């Protein structure tokens, strides 16, 4: 039996536990200007109304955590990300994932965050490990480790496992335990390579077998460029949960996706007496 480590994240008032025996933790993906012109424009003007609405709506739809990305091209990201985080903390009490490629923005986000954050992300590049892991340790945060390094994204699952191993080892040297590392096998679109899903699923299995850590993924990436994305996202997320994903980044407002997650949890024995399934059904009926 592989290990089943528990990751704990928190807000000021709420704690979320992540492990493979518990219901899937949904990390809402929508607070992200990428591909959303209106959101980019609003953020650039310092208007956070859409962000607040996206936060409230995702939590109402079942998000257990929210991913917060403020990557507007040309903006001062450390400053913008801290403001967006503060806006989200004003309207919701779920723990947050601080999402940026800018290591200064991640560090700035950690200084305003109240609770134990999830930092999204570090990867196997020397530059990333050096810049991201020390503030994660300093703030006692958890961190997502992406399976890519200075040579890019390995094509094979074994290659991605090796990057995960390197991240876990480097973090360990700084005193960050494996419980505080959530591995992302990386999800490329099947619109470009129809073997992409299979590689991701196999990576999940290998990483769990070896380390027993929690696994996330940008679950919607898998369908970029393809039509009828919601059906692809729903089927693939259910399979990923079977493989061992415990905290996918996805859109709970898409009923097909949220239902697929609940159905997968039910099938995996993670929904006692089908209470969560029935509650979600009643909520939809009431709307
Ligand atoms: N791994 C980790 N973090 C990540 C990703 C990952 N963060 C960002 C991203 N990938 C996950 N988040 C999203 C957010 C939105 C979409 C996909 C992934 C998406 N949005 C629609 C689009 O672009 O077509 C538009 C949404 C809208 O207009 O409402 O698909 O892989 N660790």
């Amino acid at each position: 039996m592989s290990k089943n480590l528990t990751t704990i994240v928190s807000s000021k008032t709420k704690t979320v536990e992540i492990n493979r025996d518990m219901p899937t933790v949904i990390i809402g993906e929508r607070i992200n200007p990428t591909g959303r012109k209106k959101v980019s424009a609003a953020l650039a003007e310092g208007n956070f109304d859409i962000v607040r609405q996206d936060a409230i709506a995702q939590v109402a739809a079942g998000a257990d955590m929210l991913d917060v990305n403020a990557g507007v091209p040309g903006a001062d990201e450390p400053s913008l990300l801290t403001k967006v985080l503060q806006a989200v903390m004003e309207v919701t009490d779920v723990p947050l994932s601080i999402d940026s490629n800018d290591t200064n923005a991640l560090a700035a986000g950690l200084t305003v965050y109240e609770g134990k954050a999830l930092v999204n992300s570090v990867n196997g590049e020397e530059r990333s490990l050096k810049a991201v892991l020390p503030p994660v340790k300093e703030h006692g945060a958890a961190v997502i480790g992406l399976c890519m390094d200075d040579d890019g994204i390995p094509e094979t699952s074994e290659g991605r496992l090796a990057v995960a191993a390197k991240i876990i080892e480097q973090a360990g040297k700084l005193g960050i335990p494996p419980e505080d590392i959530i591995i992302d096998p990386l999800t490329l679109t099947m619109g470009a390579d129809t073997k992409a899903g299979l590689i991701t699923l196999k990576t999940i299995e290998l990483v769990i077998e070896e380390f027993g850590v929690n696994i996330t993924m940008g679950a919607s990436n898998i369908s970029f460029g393809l039509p009828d994305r919601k059906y692809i996202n729903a089927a693939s997320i259910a399979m990923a949960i079977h493989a061992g994903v415990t905290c996918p980044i996805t859109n709970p407002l898409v009923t097909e996706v949220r239902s697929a997650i609940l159905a997968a949890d039910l099938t995996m024995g993670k929904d006692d007496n089908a209470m969560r399934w029935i509650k979600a059904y009643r909520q939809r009926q009431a709307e």
Side-chain angles (χ1 to χ4, degrees):
M1 267 286 277
S2 39
K3 278 186 284 187
N4 179 15
L5 300 181
T6 298
T7 304
I8 295 174
V9 290
S10 66
S11 64
K12 204 160 44 168
T13 55
K14 240 187 193 152
T15 296
V16 170
E17 285 187 41
I18 309 168
N19 76 48
R20 293 201 304 285
D21 292 333
M22 317 248 284
T24 299
V25 168
I26 297 178
I27 306 178
E29 74 180 15
R30 285 189 49 82
I31 302 175
N32 190 331
T34 315
R36 295 177 74 192
K37 279 201 184 132
K38 258 193 187 167
V39 179
S40 291
L43 290 184
E45 285 172 7
N47 179 342
F48 305 131
D49 292 343
I50 303 178
V51 162
R52 290 191 195 90
Q53 287 161 19
D54 280 341
I56 293 165
Q58 289 184 100
V59 172
D64 304 289
M65 294 178 62
L66 295 173
D67 186 68
V68 178
N69 182 307
V72 178
D76 172 357
E77 202 176 325
S79 157
L80 185 57
L81 182 59
T82 56
K83 287 180 196 151
V84 174
L85 285 166
Q86 281 163 330
V88 174
M89 286 190 287
E90 276 164 29
V91 295
T92 58
D93 63 354
V94 298
L96 304 180
S97 152
I98 305 175
D99 186 358
S100 179
N101 296 323
D102 177 339
T103 55
N104 293 322
L106 293 177
L110 276 169
T111 63
V112 297
Y113 186 77
E114 299 175 87
K116 178 175 173 181
L118 177 59
V119 171
N120 185 9
S121 54
V122 69
N123 63 58
E125 292 175 48
E126 291 306 327
R127 187 197 60 83
S128 173
L129 293 164
K130 271 208 186 93
V132 179
L133 293 179
V136 165
K137 170 65 187 169
E138 185 191 332
H139 291 272
V143 63
I144 294 175
L146 304 184
C147 292
M148 58 181 280
D149 63 11
D150 297 280
D151 299 322
I153 303 174
E155 273 176 40
T156 65
S157 301
E158 289 77 12
R160 293 188 198 183
L161 171 68
V163 178
K166 178 175 164 189
I167 294 169
I168 292 168
E169 189 194 326
Q170 291 294 320
K173 283 186 185 160
L174 292 182
I176 302 168
E179 290 88 324
D180 283 338
I181 302 172
I182 297 180
I183 293 296
D184 183 335
L186 290 180
T187 319
L188 300 176
T189 177
M190 299 191 294
D193 174 6
T194 47
K195 291 281 191 292
L198 211 51
I199 295 166
T200 299
L201 291 172
K202 199 174 155 207
T203 305
I204 295 165
E205 284 164 4
L206 289 179
V207 171
I208 288 177
E209 200 175 282
E210 184 88 14
F211 298 108
V213 293
N214 280 297
I215 309 279
T216 187
M217 63 195 267
S220 307
N221 300 353
I222 204 156
S223 61
F224 272 131
L226 289 166
D228 258 351
R229 292 179 63 188
K230 61 186 180 213
Y231 301 113
I232 299 172
N233 292 352
S236 64
I237 208 163
M239 295 173 78
I241 289 168
H242 179 253
V245 163
T246 44
C247 49
I249 303 169
T250 191
N251 184 355
L253 292 163
V254 179
T255 303
E256 288 82 355
V257 168
R258 162 96 158 119
S259 298
I261 293 169
L262 288 165
D265 281 355
L266 180 58
T267 310
M268 297 287 288
K270 302 187 202 193
D271 185 1
D272 292 343
N273 300 312
M275 292 297 280
R276 288 165 56 87
W277 177 262
I278 291 163
K279 191 175 162 206
Y281 167 75
R282 292 208 175 114
Q283 189 184 337
R284 283 199 305 281
Q285 294 299 99
E287 274 159 16

